[in-house]
Amino acid sequence: MASRILLPILLFLLCSHGGSGAPAARRGMRVPPLGGDPVKFDFSPFLIEYKSGRVKRLMGTDVVAASADVLTGVSSRDVAIDPANDVRARLYLPSFRATAKVPVLLYFHGGAFVVESAFTPIYHAYLNTLAAKAGVLAVSVNYRLAPEHPLPAAYDDSWAALKWVLANAAPGTDQWLSQYGDLSRLFLAGDSAGGNIAHNLALRAGEEGLDDGARIKGVALLDPYFQGRSPMGADAMDPAYLQSAARTWSFICAGKYPIDHPYANPLALPASSWQRLGCSRVLVTISEQDRLSPWQRAYYATLRSSGWPGQAELYETPGEGHVYFLTKLSTPQAQAEMATLVAFINRN
């Protein structure tokens, strides 16, 4: 419960006012060694890595079991995607009596690629609500986290989950997907880092294609994690923020990709890549006080002007910070954003 209370405060400070992963030492604090083990990288408020290789996560570690949710009527269960890499997912099935199949939604959680999981209370509650309101069979993917598994591990795990869904919708495979899943209405969605993953999977699907000619109908990017070294918005006057963002991105990918790599900054993509984005529709949501919002707006504008043949939609919530909707689910603002997402999924 504590992580559900603290998360919106921490993310608001991180992405709206405090800079992306600014180390505690830079903010006038010093993180002490752990049992004589010196600090290697301070990624507060998410985690601290020590020189021994030990990682101490400061949030997003609580888990709840799959269950039949009394409030929404949604049932959930866990499945193994890739046991060798401990890639798993939690499936959510809404209660309905109709025999018709329902859309399939792959969801990727946020957490800066370093914290949270598909099984934390905040995401379990959000997916129960989303599955119930949208009437979808949701697959919430539990990918490996950095720094133990730096990028591209999260991308590879999420791609494996997408391929697992396609393979397990056939008769005689997964009981829920095969009986209820309609792959002609396949969607990807994610918040923050999960939105970044959803975009990169759609890009890969457009470049490589999917098994048996499957297509992604829509992609919902909820306050997606996009950044770059080039100054944008208010951060044009804040070089310390840009340096900190580049440093933390390097930590997430173990220095393999610069922050202006298309993984982090889609604006670096050529127009031909945008044109091949492998979906028919894209929804981008923005929270007004999110420090990442200039990149999010630029993503939407670039997609619309790229020659991509699909439909792009932008939705902005005034007065709120990064991924506010996760912990303010009952507020009018979060309900309005949820209604927009539900309509996006169910639009013919």
Side-chain angles (χ1 to χ4, degrees), residues 8-238:
I9 299 171
L10 293 172
L11 287 177
F12 182 85
L13 290 172
L14 178 68
C15 295
S16 301
H17 294 289
S20 180
R26 187 173 295 174
R27 299 191 303 269
M29 297 178 286
R30 182 177 181 180
V31 178
L34 183 65
D37 192 0
V39 173
K40 180 180 180 181
F41 191 87
D42 171 21
F43 197 179
S44 302
F46 296 135
L47 59 75
I48 299 169
E49 183 184 30
Y50 294 87
K51 289 189 176 180
S52 66
R54 178 176 178 177
V55 175
K56 181 181 180 181
R57 287 186 165 80
L58 307 176
M59 58 181 292
T61 57
D62 294 341
V63 298
V64 293
S67 62
D69 186 63
V70 176
L71 294 178
T72 62
V74 172
S75 297
S76 58
R77 63 183 178 88
D78 298 339
V79 297
I81 301 292
D82 178 2
N85 288 316
D86 194 30
V87 182
R88 295 169 289 158
R90 178 161 291 176
L91 275 61
Y92 294 83
L93 185 69
S95 61
F96 53 85
R97 294 184 175 87
T99 57
K101 293 194 172 187
V102 298
V104 176
L105 172 75
L106 271 79
Y107 193 91
F108 309 100
H109 69 81
F113 295 101
V114 299
V115 294
E116 295 292 339
S117 77
F119 314 123
T120 51
I122 188 171
Y123 284 104
H124 186 67
Y126 185 77
L127 267 295
N128 273 323
T129 303
L130 177 57
K133 289 185 177 294
V136 299
L137 197 170
V139 181
S140 183
V141 179
N142 196 63
Y143 52 86
R144 290 172 292 171
L145 300 176
E148 299 93 333
H149 306 283
L151 292 178
Y155 300 137
D156 293 340
D157 294 349
S158 300
W159 182 255
L162 175 56
K163 292 175 72 69
W164 181 91
V165 165
L166 297 177
N168 281 272
T173 52
D174 183 82
Q175 55 182 324
W176 286 1
L177 280 168
S178 61
Q179 184 173 354
Y180 300 112
D182 179 3
L183 289 187
S184 71
R185 293 181 288 168
L186 176 64
F187 291 83
L188 308 181
D191 65 276
S192 194
N196 176 295
I197 292 172
H199 157 77
N200 279 293
L201 257 62
L203 198 66
R204 183 171 176 180
E207 293 172 346
E208 299 182 14
L210 296 175
D211 297 342
D212 299 323
R215 288 188 56 82
I216 300 166
K217 189 169 185 179
V219 176
L221 310 178
L222 311 178
D223 293 7
Y225 177 98
F226 297 136
Q227 291 199 100
R229 191 177 301 277
S230 300
M232 298 188 70
D235 294 316
M237 303 301 294
D238 189 355

